[in-house]
């Protein structure tokens, strides 16, 4: 059995060996964390099994022609397993497991054995169809039985080396020993793409590795040894459990993957014509992902409720309006409202309804015609959206994707030091939704953003007849966030009602005027200004930016001096690529004054480093020096910008620029420098 790789694991918190199985569980249940070409996985069935003895030749006790014929389509995770089967427990744990076996029904006994991995690895089999009419849960159970029987015969009949490895001390030396295994059947879902060689999901049995690598569902040996092994080593000693839901936990991953790829192909042209100053790649594909999620969420809601008409919506704080445009183009009637009109609005056409205007929470800001209210990075409106939805109509639902932290008035102040500010803010919004009478659920989107947790209010906790009394509760809760006095013990709701502008015993549905003059739900709320202040680090002094870039580069390069150079000394093979540091590690090396100055800018340190894209790459919170040997050739639209800026590496890197002058898109010295082309705005004025 060939060894694919080896990595040293340091365990200062004493999390092993349980942490190892927790790391393996990440790969088993969320393989997309390591393999970005996967959309996700669906666990179908699980069973306990024992290794066969070397002398065994016949079929396993569960094998049979009926089971072979019926082994087929998988089941949904929410359905129960068949007799003798069980689904995985909640959360990872130290369960016995091994790697996957690729199986496609019965194989010939003389098939050549492929390379096997020395770590718990996975492989699989194409999805098979079973007899029509049988339950999906039974199919999954029978399929797993059949695959395990096939694999057992293969081990006992001719794969003695792998059998010895799996049995630890050797099956031959201890023929009486029964080595129990945990055998799992899962469906691996690759991302749908025109460039993907796979036609759809594939099934895997988690036991051992037989190579039939396609590089997507069945990884290549080099990737397993160099990438996955290192990730497993990190996962098994991290110890800290995520405080968030798994990605796309509330919708079908298969449906989402299909919808996302279709929308991406349909709207990718927006990237080329994007007229805003924001990054088109990020904003277009992020809104495409959010739209795909909502479309699947609403499709499944229609199926649950037996509806045919597509849901209507209002997007509050719609920004560039692309999400409104996509949802409207896909057949959902709706509109978007934002305090400031964007240039791109004129490109959408008359079917996309966008309105310029401020939204102030009051009795006149209600949307009884809308099925859903959307708050996508809606800033100061975010905590108000559950309130507006609750008061618009009993049947109105909400979806919020929070980014900046706002309370009902002003910035949100963290109250619990045991939670991160982000986790605390999400819990606050959940509390708001619950106080408004919603069952609030949480999910994690697959978008290019660090703030990707959404909160959804799909149903109410009370009957429609209790709407009036529920609205009284909302009023009291909103007033309490302003710092109204809390009733002393024993005084009941009377003091709360008085503090909220209500007389004790006031009729349900009456709202006081003291706390909400002129119909306002809470005095002191101010919508954002129409003129947006530029806060993207672009207004910082150039010398300050250059100083920070140099300091960070020296950290990544290991403290080497950044002297001017003209060519890599010692050849490109010796060019110092530096290491990789997290944003937190970089921030810890900067002085407090610098950090405070960056904090006042939108995005802070991360934005400055992203803006310095000639020098740095920032991916998943990790910063490293950009190696221009790995960059693709510049597109035609970028060719006119060649040699219009001095090459940072030529000037500052201790080894100079890794590219020769004729290949580098930046100028190696003043003599190569060309005048910058006219910007879009300047061309429009000419």
């Amino acid at each position: 059995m060939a060894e694919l790789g080896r990595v040293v694991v340091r365990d200062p918190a004493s999390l092993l060996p349980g942490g190892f199985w927790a790391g393996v569980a990440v790969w088993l249940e969320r393989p997309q964390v390591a393999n970005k070409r996967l959309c996700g996985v669906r666990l179908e069935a699980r069973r306990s099994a024992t290794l066969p003895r070397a002398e065994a030749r016949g079929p396993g006790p569960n094998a049979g022609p009926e089971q072979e014929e019926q082994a087929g389509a998988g089941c949904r995770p929410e359905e129960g397993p068949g007799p003798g089967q069980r689904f995985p427990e909640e959360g990872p744990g130290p369960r016995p497991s091994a790697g996957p076996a690729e199986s496609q029904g019965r194989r010939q006994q003389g098939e050549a054995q492929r390379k096997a991995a020395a770590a718990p690895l996975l492989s699989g089999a194409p999805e098979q169809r079973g007899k029509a009419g049988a339950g999906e849960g039974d199919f999954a159970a029978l399929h797993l039985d059949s695959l395990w029987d096939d694999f057992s015969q293969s081990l006992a009949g001719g794969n003695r080396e792998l059998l010895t490895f799996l049995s630890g001390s050797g099956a031959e030396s201890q023929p009486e020993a029964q080595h129990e295994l945990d055998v799992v059947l899962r469906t691996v879902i690759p991302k749908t793409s025109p460039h993907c060689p796979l036609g759809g999901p594939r099934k895997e049995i988690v036991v051992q590795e037989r190579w039939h690598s396609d590089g997507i569902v069945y990884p290549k040996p080099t990737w397993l040894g160099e990438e996955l092994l290192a990730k497993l080593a990190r996962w098994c000693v991290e110890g800290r459990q995520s405080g968030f839901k798994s990605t796309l936990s509330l919708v079908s991953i298969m449906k989402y993957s299909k919808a996302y790829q279709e929308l991406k192909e349909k709207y990718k042209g927006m990237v080329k014509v994007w007229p805003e100053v924001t990054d088109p790649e990020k904003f277009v594909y992020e809104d495409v992902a959010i739209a795909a999620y909502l479309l699947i969420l609403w499709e499944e809601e229609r199926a649950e409720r037996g509806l045919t008409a597509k849901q209507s919506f209002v997007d509050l704080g719609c920004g560039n309006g692309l999400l409104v445009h996509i949802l409207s183009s896909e057949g959902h009637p709706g509109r978007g409202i934002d305090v400031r009109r964007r240039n791109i609005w004129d490109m959408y056409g008359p079917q996309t309804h966008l309105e310029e205007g401020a939204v102030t929470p009051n009795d006149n800001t209600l949307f009884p015609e809308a099925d859903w209210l959307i708050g996508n990075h809606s800033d100061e409106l975010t905590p108000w959206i559950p309130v507006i939805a609750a008061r618009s109509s009993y049947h109105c639902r909400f979806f919020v994707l929070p980014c900046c932290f706002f309370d009902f008035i002003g910035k949100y102040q963290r109250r619990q030091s045991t939670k991160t500010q982000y986790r605390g803010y999400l819990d606050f919004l959940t509390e708001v939704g619950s106080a408004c009478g919603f069952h609030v659920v949480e999910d994690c989107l697959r978008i290019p953003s660090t703030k990707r947790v959404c909160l959804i209010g799909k149903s109410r906790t009370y009957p429609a007849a209790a709407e009036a009394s529920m609205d009284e509760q909302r009023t009291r809760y909103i007033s309490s966030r302003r710092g109204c006095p809390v009733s002393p013990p024993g005084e009941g709701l009377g003091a709360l009602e008085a503090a909220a502008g209500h007389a004790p015993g006031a009729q349900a549905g009456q709202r006081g005027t003291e706390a909400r003059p002129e119909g306002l739900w809470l005095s002191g709320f101010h919508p954002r200004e129409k003129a947006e202040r530029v806060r993207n680090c672009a207004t910082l002094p150039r010398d300050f930016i250059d100083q920070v870039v140099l300091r960070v580069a020296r950290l990544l390069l290991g403290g080497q001096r950044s002297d001017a150079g003209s060519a890599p000394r010692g050849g490109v093979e010796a060019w110092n690529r530096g290491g990789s540091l997290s944003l937190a590690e970089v921030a810890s090396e900067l002085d407090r004054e610098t950090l405070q100055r960056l904090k006042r800018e939108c995005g802070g340190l991360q934005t400055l480093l992203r803006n310095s894209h000639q020098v740095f790459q920032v991916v998943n919170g990790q910063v490293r020096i950009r190696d221009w040997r790995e960059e693709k050739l510049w597109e035609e639209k970028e060719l006119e910008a060649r040699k219009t800026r001095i090459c940072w590496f030529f000037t500052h890197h201790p080894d100079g620029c890794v590219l020769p002058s004729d290949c580098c898109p930046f100028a190696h010295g003043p003599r190569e420098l060309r005048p910058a082309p006219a910007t879009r705005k300047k061309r429009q004025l000419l």
Side-chain angles (χ1 to χ4, degrees):
M1 178 174 295
E3 179 179 299
L4 297 179
R6 184 173 297 192
V7 66
V8 176
V9 177
R10 295 177 177 83
D11 185 25
S14 301
L15 297 175
L16 296 174
F20 172 77
W21 297 112
V24 170
V26 174
W27 171 243
L28 173 64
E29 299 167 13
R30 294 185 291 146
Q32 71 275 9
V33 174
N35 188 349
K36 300 303 182 183
R37 302 181 72 180
L38 295 179
C39 187
V41 71
R42 187 174 69 189
L43 301 182
E44 309 283 10
R46 184 189 293 269
R47 60 163 289 181
S48 296
T50 57
L51 284 173
R53 293 173 177 162
E55 65 270 20
R57 287 291 185 271
N62 297 322
E66 284 189 8
Q67 292 177 345
E68 274 195 21
E69 185 179 0
Q70 290 181 347
C75 67
R76 293 188 296 271
E78 62 266 20
E79 295 178 326
Q85 312 302 313
R86 59 186 177 89
F87 285 126
E89 299 84 353
E90 291 292 331
R95 303 187 296 263
S97 178
E102 174 204 7
S103 177
Q104 299 180 351
R106 299 289 181 182
R107 290 187 177 83
Q108 297 180 356
Q109 185 68 26
E111 180 182 73
Q113 303 298 317
R114 297 185 177 95
K115 293 182 179 179
L121 302 174
L122 305 168
S123 71
E127 252 186 303
Q128 302 175 15
R129 299 287 180 184
K131 286 184 176 180
E136 290 187 359
D138 292 337
F139 279 144
L142 293 172
H143 196 183
L144 182 57
D145 281 343
S146 178
L147 291 173
W148 176 249
D149 290 339
D150 292 343
F151 179 56
S152 298
Q153 290 188 49
S154 171
L155 287 177
N159 205 335
R160 304 278 292 277
E161 182 185 6
L162 183 56
L163 180 60
T164 301
F165 168 72
L166 291 175
S167 61
S169 58
E172 292 181 339
S173 61
Q174 296 181 349
E176 72 285 353
Q178 295 294 312
H179 298 275
E180 292 191 358
L181 297 173
D182 211 23
V183 184
V184 179
L185 180 66
R186 71 177 189 170
T187 298
V188 180
I189 308 167
K191 289 183 178 178
T192 306
S193 167
H195 310 292
C196 178
L198 302 178
R202 295 291 188 272
K203 290 195 181 301
E204 293 186 341
I205 178 174
V206 180
V207 180
Q208 65 116 60
E209 185 68 25
R210 266 181 188 266
W211 280 110
H212 179 67
S213 176
D214 54 30
I216 301 175
V217 170
Y218 315 137
K220 296 182 182 299
T222 54
W223 184 88
L224 289 167
E226 297 173 4
E227 299 289 335
L228 178 59
L229 187 58
K231 287 181 170 64
L232 284 172
R234 187 178 78 248
W235 294 338
C236 69
V237 293
E238 277 181 345
R240 185 177 63 182
Q241 296 295 322
S242 172
F244 304 105
K245 292 283 186 180
S246 298
T247 304
L248 306 178
S249 63
L250 299 181
V251 298
S252 165
I253 296 179
M254 290 189 191
K255 291 181 180 179
Y256 171 83
S257 178
K258 184 175 183 294
Y260 174 76
Q261 292 300 332
E262 290 176 352
L263 294 179
K264 185 178 179 182
E265 286 297 311
K266 191 172 183 178
Y267 297 100
K268 65 181 181 181
M270 298 296 301
V271 173
K272 297 181 180 179
V273 298
W274 193 256
E276 304 293 326
V277 297
T278 51
D279 180 6
E281 292 277 350
K282 178 186 187 302
F283 282 88
V284 171
Y285 295 129
E286 180 170 317
D287 282 355
V288 164
I290 297 170
Y293 183 88
L294 286 172
L295 291 174
I296 299 305
L297 182 74
W298 292 347
E299 176 188 326
E300 295 180 347
E301 182 186 60
R302 293 196 301 274
E304 293 169 3
R305 299 189 176 196
L307 303 175
T308 56
K310 292 190 174 182
Q311 296 89 332
S312 59
F313 69 93
V314 177
D315 187 348
L316 301 178
C318 63
N320 59 56
L322 181 57
L323 180 60
V324 177
H325 175 64
I326 296 175
L327 295 176
S328 300
S329 301
E330 298 304 313
H332 287 270
R335 58 189 171 120
I337 306 173
D338 199 276
V339 70
R340 181 169 56 87
R341 184 180 185 84
R342 306 301 202 275
N343 296 328
I344 198 174
W345 285 14
D346 295 327
M347 300 176 58
Y348 293 137
Q351 81 281 359
T352 302
H353 303 285
L354 299 168
E355 305 171 13
E356 183 180 17
V359 177
T360 301
N362 57 43
D363 293 337
N364 298 320
T365 310
L366 299 175
F367 306 93
E369 78 285 358
D371 295 318
W372 283 80
L373 294 189
I374 297 173
N376 174 20
H377 295 181
S378 46
D379 293 347
E380 76 279 355
L381 283 176
T382 299
W384 287 106
I385 287 178
V387 184
I388 299 173
R391 287 177 168 170
S392 290
S393 75
Y394 180 75
H395 300 287
C396 188
R397 288 87 77 190
F398 75 85
F399 168 94
V400 292
L401 180 59
C403 179
C404 300
F405 307 145
F406 283 87
D407 208 318
F408 288 119
I409 297 177
K411 290 286 189 177
Y412 169 79
Q413 300 296 325
R414 182 170 58 173
R415 298 185 177 183
Q416 295 188 30
S417 59
T418 57
K419 299 179 181 179
T420 65
Q421 188 178 29
Y422 186 39
R423 179 69 265 173
Y425 188 62
L426 292 172
D427 291 345
F428 160 61
L429 295 180
T430 301
E431 179 184 286
V432 173
S434 300
C436 289
F438 285 98
H439 291 290
V440 183
V441 291
E442 181 180 301
D443 204 354
C444 195
L445 304 186
R446 188 167 291 166
I447 57 176
S449 175
T450 56
K451 305 290 192 304
R452 54 195 187 99
V453 176
C454 67
L455 298 170
I456 303 170
K458 291 181 61 177
S459 60
R460 305 292 177 97
T461 60
Y462 61 95
E467 177 62 42
S469 60
M470 192 66 205
D471 199 53
E472 288 289 325
Q473 175 180 314
R474 295 181 197 122
T475 301
R476 292 193 296 271
Y477 177 78
I478 294 169
S479 295
S480 72
R481 296 297 301 182
R482 191 183 56 174
C484 291
V486 179
S487 59
E491 292 192 16
L493 296 178
L496 276 174
E497 290 175 340
H502 294 272
Q507 292 183 2
Q510 278 189 318
R511 302 183 188 129
T513 58
E514 181 180 334
R516 302 186 299 106
E518 301 178 359
L520 290 175
W521 294 343
L522 191 62
S523 59
F525 174 85
H526 297 286
R528 74 181 75 174
E529 297 178 358
K530 184 175 181 179
E532 187 176 30
R533 178 189 169 195
V534 177
R535 297 177 64 219
N536 61 355
C537 294
T539 58
L540 289 171
R542 186 71 251 176
D543 58 344
F544 174 78
I545 296 175
D546 292 343
Q547 180 186 20
V548 175
V549 169
L550 279 172
R551 291 173 67 181
V552 175
R554 286 169 180 163
L555 287 173
L556 297 172
L557 292 172
Q560 293 191 25
R561 290 188 58 192
S562 298
D563 299 322
S566 58
R569 291 183 280 276
V572 294
E573 295 80 5
W575 191 77
N576 183 8
R577 300 179 57 168
S580 174
L581 294 173
S582 68
L583 287 167
E585 291 171 323
V586 173
S588 67
E589 297 293 332
L590 300 179
D591 60 89
R592 184 176 181 180
E593 181 181 351
T594 298
L595 292 176
Q596 288 180 340
R597 194 171 184 180
L598 290 171
K599 191 176 182 180
R600 291 193 292 268
E601 298 292 322
C602 183
L605 176 62
Q606 179 172 230
T607 298
L608 185 145
L609 297 178
R610 286 187 182 276
N611 289 349
S612 305
H613 52 79
Q614 182 193 160
V615 185
F616 303 112
Q617 280 185 319
V618 184
V619 180
N620 297 327
Q622 293 290 126
V623 187
R624 70 180 181 92
I625 296 291
R626 186 179 295 275
D627 188 339
W628 280 89
R629 292 173 296 186
E630 301 173 352
E631 301 298 320
K632 297 180 180 178
L633 294 176
W634 280 24
E635 299 179 10
E636 290 185 7
K637 65 180 181 180
E638 296 174 317
L639 291 178
E640 62 180 6
R642 286 178 60 90
K643 304 295 183 181
T644 59
R645 285 181 289 169
I646 291 290
C647 176
W648 184 92
F649 296 96
F650 177 84
T651 306
H652 297 290
H653 194 283
D655 295 330
C657 182
V658 73
L659 297 178
S661 175
D662 58 337
C663 296
C664 182
F666 303 98
H668 284 199
R671 292 184 179 181
E672 295 185 6
L673 200 60
R674 297 172 52 234
T679 63
R680 182 186 293 111
K681 289 185 178 180
K682 289 182 179 179
R683 288 196 296 266
Q684 291 174 348
L685 294 175
L686 295 177

